[in-house]
């Protein structure tokens, strides 16, 4: 019953205001992120995408950042695209500054996604990379400068190829 119950929860999350229940929903979803079942991971990520659109849930989703970054190595392009969408929703229309260690770790993972076979993943990773570079805290920008310079040439080639 776990998969149908999770599917029902995701449908409810996408249709209703979940502010009152967001902590419980986040707990249920976060447990399914590490599931061996690809479908459970996809459903959990769909739920996170829906929740990440609500600024009141941002802090809870931020606590899942490391788990989500670990999942970015997944071979499933749909899973990666959903994770990138969660990150983009978290950064969209907010004055959220990103700490330099998190930004550097995310930038390294995103650079490897520029060459992903899935063009949607490529576009999302390039867009998220730009957002991360804009929102990194001022004191961390020097540390990222070298990494950004190394990323520009592959980014240029990927943009040119498209």
């Amino acid at each position: 019953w776990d998969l149908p119950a999770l599917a029902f929860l995701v449908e409810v999350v996408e249709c209703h205001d979940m502010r009152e229940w967001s902590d419980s929903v986040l707990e249920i979803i976060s447990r399914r992120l590490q599931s061996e079942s690809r479908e459970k991971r996809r459903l959990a990520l769909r739920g996170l995408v829906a929740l990440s659109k609500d600024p009141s849930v941002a802090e809870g989703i931020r606590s899942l950042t490391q788990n989500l970054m670990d999942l970015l190595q997944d071979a499933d392009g749909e899973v990666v695209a959903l994770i990138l969408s969660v990150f983009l929703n978290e950064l969209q229309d907010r004055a959220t500054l990103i700490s330099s260690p998190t930004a550097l770790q995310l930038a390294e993972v995103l650079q490897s996604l520029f060459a992903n076979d899935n063009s949607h993943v490529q576009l999302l990773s390039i867009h998220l990379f730009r957002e991360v570079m804009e929102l990194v805290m001022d004191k961390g920008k020097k540390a990222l400068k070298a990494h950004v310079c190394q990323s520009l040439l592959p980014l240029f080639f990927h943009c040119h190829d498209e």
Side-chain angles (χ1 to χ4, degrees):
W1 288 101
D2 198 35
L3 188 61
L6 184 59
F8 175 76
L9 179 64
V10 169
E11 291 300 320
V12 170
V13 166
E14 290 177 345
C15 298
H16 296 296
D17 180 10
M18 296 300 291
R19 289 182 188 147
E20 183 179 340
W21 304 100
S22 62
D23 291 339
S24 299
V25 172
L26 271 174
E27 183 181 332
I28 292 168
I29 286 175
S30 66
R31 282 184 279 170
R32 301 320 185 276
L33 288 176
Q34 301 301 324
S35 174
E36 294 296 319
S37 166
R38 187 171 300 255
E39 276 308 308
K40 286 182 187 176
R41 269 185 293 170
R42 284 182 182 164
L43 282 170
L45 287 166
R46 271 188 48 213
L48 275 181
V49 169
L51 287 172
S52 67
K53 294 175 183 174
D54 184 354
S56 68
V57 187
E59 195 60 41
I61 293 177
R62 226 174 272 126
S63 69
L64 299 174
T65 299
Q66 189 58 51
N67 290 341
L68 292 173
M69 285 201 301
D70 293 343
L71 286 173
L72 280 173
Q73 304 302 323
D74 197 296
D76 185 352
E78 185 180 344
V79 166
V80 174
L82 288 167
I83 295 167
L84 294 173
S85 296
V86 169
F87 283 135
L88 282 167
N89 287 344
E90 281 293 295
L91 297 177
Q92 211 107 99
D93 300 323
R94 300 190 189 132
T96 306
L97 292 178
I98 301 171
S99 68
S100 55
T102 302
L104 183 58
Q105 186 180 10
L106 191 54
E108 289 172 355
V109 173
L110 291 173
Q111 185 180 0
S112 68
L113 295 176
F114 294 166
N116 193 289
D117 295 337
N118 186 324
S119 62
H120 185 62
V121 169
Q122 287 179 0
L123 290 173
L124 287 172
S125 64
I126 291 168
H127 183 68
L128 182 57
F129 185 84
R130 191 188 84 225
E131 292 289 323
V132 167
M133 295 304 112
E134 289 176 4
L135 294 173
V136 70
M137 292 181 192
D138 286 335
K139 63 183 177 185
K141 287 191 178 187
K142 281 188 178 183
L144 284 174
K145 185 177 181 180
H147 185 75
V148 170
C149 289
Q150 290 174 346
S151 301
L152 289 177
L153 190 58
L155 182 58
F156 172 78
F157 287 134
H158 289 292
C159 289
H160 183 70
D161 286 346
E162 292 300 317

